[in-house]
Amino acid sequence: MKIRRLVIYDIESKPLLKGVDLFFEKGTADIINANCFIGINGSGKSQILEVIIEIFLYLDNIFRNENKLDAKKIFSPFAFRIEYEISLNNEIYLIIFDCSELKTSFKKLHIEILKRSNDKVENLDVNSLNIVDFIPTKIAGYSSGSNETLSLPFDSYYDEYAEYTWKRAKKIKDHNDYSDIDYDPRLYYMNYNTNLGIVISSFIFKDELPEFEFILKELRIKELNSFVISIQTLGPQSPNRNKGGVILTPELELWRQKLINISDENIFDEKHQLNTLKFNINDETRLAFKDNFSSALELYTCLYKLELLNNLIVDKTTRDKIKKERKERRLVTKMPIVSDINKVLNYSELKFALNDDSEINYLSLSDGEHQFMNVFGTLLMINQENCLFLLDEPETHFNPIWRKKFIRILEKITSNRKLDVFITSHSPFVVSDCKQEQVFILKRESNNKISINRPPKETYGTAFDNILEMAFGVNPPISDNSLEEIKELQNEDDPDIIRKRLNDFGDSLEKATLVNRIIVLKEKEDI
C-alpha cells in the first residue's frame, strides 16, 4: 500500500486545502518511508490526514459488501483525486479515484485500476471487479489529543456499525432471519480510550508479535498480570430496557461466551445482565485465548466491536440530531460520553509486572508510556497487508530519547510490510530521520491559503537547528526571554557589565557574540 498522489480540487469544509496537489515518493520497498507533515499550529497538517480518512470512508460506504447504504444518498465529501498502489497476490495495482465536482453522485466517480507486471501496464475493466478488494484493508487513525475533526469520519463509521448491529440483532431475535452478516471494521480510531484493548490484545499475543519484546524493554515492563472486563446489555440507561436492552448479534454473543469461558472469575448481575470478568494472565490463560482467537487483531476486534455498541446507549433522538449536523457540517459534534455504569463494554484494573517484579496499575503509567503502547502496539497488531496508518502527532508525550528513536522503532517493527504511514509533527527529532522527499513543510500564507513545499535542503541526519529554521523560521534556536537579554547586551558599551552577565547564559553562538563584543570594546579602550 502506498499513496502516490492526493489532489483536492475543491472543498467547502476545509478551504485551506483547496487546490492542494501532492505527490508522494515510492521510496525503498523493504522499509517504511513515512510521509511527514510539519508546520506551526493551524497550518493544515491534521486536515490532510482528515481528508484522506474522509475519502476512504466515502469509498468504503459505496463499495463495501455488507451494510450497504442507499447509493442515492451517498455524495462525495469534496472534489478530489487519489492515486495509490496496492499489492494483491504478488501483483501491483495502481488505483485511481477521481471526483472532480463537489457533492456529486458516486455514478460520476471516475475509477481506473491498472495492473503493473513485467514493465507492462494493463488497464482493467472496473465493471468486472469487486472494487472493495482494492481499498486499503485497514485504515487506522491516531490522535495524541482530542482532535475532534480527525475523529469525526471514524465516529460516523462507528455510528453506522452500531446501528447496523442493533437492527441485525433485533431482526434475528424477532424473525430468526440470518440474511445479513456481520463484518469487521475497516476503520480504526486509536486514542486514549481504545488503548486498553490494544494493550490487552498485544500482551496476550506478544509471542506472535515480532519486536514486541523491544517495546517491553523500552517500557521496563515484564508482563501483564491481570485485568477486568465488564460486558453489560441492560444498563440503567440501555435503550428499550423493557425489551431486553442492547441485543447482541450471534457473533458478538459467541465472543462474549468465549470471554466468559476463558475468565478466571465471572460475577453475574442479572438485573443489568452484567458479566464482570476477571482474568489472571498465565500460560494457561494465554493458551485459552489463543484457542479461541486466532490473533491479537481478532481479539482486539472482538473487544472493539463490543465497545462500539456503547454508542447505542445514547438516545436515538440525540444520535439522529448529531448525524444530521455532521452531514451538514454545521459543527464538530461528538456523541455524548457514556458513563462507565452504562457502558456495554468497560475495562478496569489493568495491572503489570515491572522488570523488578513490582506491580503497577495501568493508570499509574505516564502519558508517554500510554502513548508508546498505543502507537507501537497498534502498528504491531494491525499487521495485515495494504494497511494505512494516519498518525497525528504520535510522539507528543515522548521524552527526548523516545522522540529520537521514533522513526527507527517505526521501521524496525514494520519492516518488510506493505503499508503506508502519514505523520504530523512539530518535532525536529522525527524530521531528522526522514529523507527530504518525504517531508512536507506547511505554512499558512493567509486565512484561506497554505503553501506546501519540500525542504530546500536534505533533512535526513541534519542538525535540529536547520530543521527549526526551515520549518518554523526559528533562528537562532533559543527561547525569547534569554535571546532578548543577549540582544540587549550585544548593544552594551561597557565590557565589565557584559562580563558580569556572561555566566547567566548557557553555551551558544549568541553567547559567543558577547565574548567577541567584550574583546572589541577592550580593544577600543586600549587605543
Side-chain angles (χ1 to χ4, degrees), residues 233-276:
T233 58
L234 200 58
Q237 294 181 4
S238 291
N240 301 312
R241 271 186 54 83
N242 58 333
K243 296 182 180 180
V246 174
I247 308 170
L248 301 182
T249 62
E251 291 88 353
L252 295 181
E253 186 59 62
L254 176 61
W255 272 341
R256 175 169 69 170
Q257 191 57 52
K258 285 183 176 183
L259 292 172
I260 290 172
N261 294 341
I262 297 169
S263 66
D264 292 284
E265 184 177 0
N266 171 26
I267 302 173
F268 182 64
D269 177 354
E270 186 173 0
K271 179 181 178 181
H272 296 104
Q273 290 297 298
L274 167 64
N275 296 94
T276 301

Side-chain angles (χ1 to χ4, degrees), residues 447-466:
N447 288 335
N448 293 308
K449 187 176 180 181
I450 59 170
S451 64
I452 305 178
N453 298 293
R454 288 191 172 91
K457 303 175 183 177
E458 180 58 70
T459 51
Y460 187 70
T462 195
F464 294 168
D465 294 7
N466 295 331

